[in-house]
Amino acid sequence: MQERQWITARRSELNALAEELAKKLQEVQAERDELAIAERVLNRLAEQARADAGAVAPVSAKVAGRAVLPIPHRSDAADDGALPGDYRKILAIVREADGPVQVRASGWGWTPRCAASWNLCGPR
């Protein structure tokens, strides 16, 4: 008789455990489905951002009859070739200098209107 009681008790424990595991499995599946949806949304947003970045044309303005970029268009390029010509000239002057370079002493003949902290440029 004790074997039957043990079997019944054990069966009851296993039934309760099966119910608990089934509930936990449903929660895990629901979270997994939510993560899949979130991943798809992030992929779509990243695709849109890449498409928008490629579609945005930099705005140009005219200064002294020349077309210039008021603010250079930002890119992930790592070389100087991606910079506008004026910026490449500034980099060349700073790199050739032995120390800090004052804008007025650079020989350009003009002083840009910028923040006071930009008056000195040093090589990196």
Side-chain angles (χ1 to χ4, degrees):
M1 224 15 138
Q2 287 182 348
E3 290 85 13
R4 285 185 186 230
Q5 289 176 346
W6 178 83
I7 290 172
T8 305
R10 182 67 178 144
R11 197 167 189 197
S12 177
E13 289 174 12
L14 291 176
N15 286 340
L17 181 59
E19 288 178 23
E20 183 181 327
L21 289 174
K23 182 179 177 184
K24 185 73 169 173
L25 179 60
Q26 286 178 343
E27 292 172 0
V28 168
Q29 288 174 335
E31 184 176 352
R32 189 180 64 186
D33 292 344
E34 289 175 2
L35 288 174
I37 291 169
E39 185 177 25
R40 283 196 306 261
V41 168
L42 284 176
N43 287 338
R44 285 182 188 164
L45 289 174
E47 288 172 10
Q48 287 176 350
R50 281 191 298 272
D52 290 346
V56 175
V59 177
S60 63
K62 292 235 179 211
V63 175
R66 280 185 357 167
V68 296
L69 294 173
I71 298 174
H73 195 64
R74 189 175 280 266
S75 72
D76 294 332
D79 62 351
D80 299 346
L83 294 173
D86 290 340
Y87 280 63
R88 287 193 302 270
K89 288 178 188 176
I90 293 170
L91 276 175
I93 291 169
V94 170
R95 285 182 178 146
E96 290 174 9
D98 293 332
V101 178
Q102 284 192 330
V103 174
R104 292 174 196 215
S106 68
W108 278 39
W110 56 269
T111 303
R113 294 182 185 188
C114 55
S117 62
W118 293 5
N119 285 341
L120 293 177
C121 300
R124 291 184 180 183

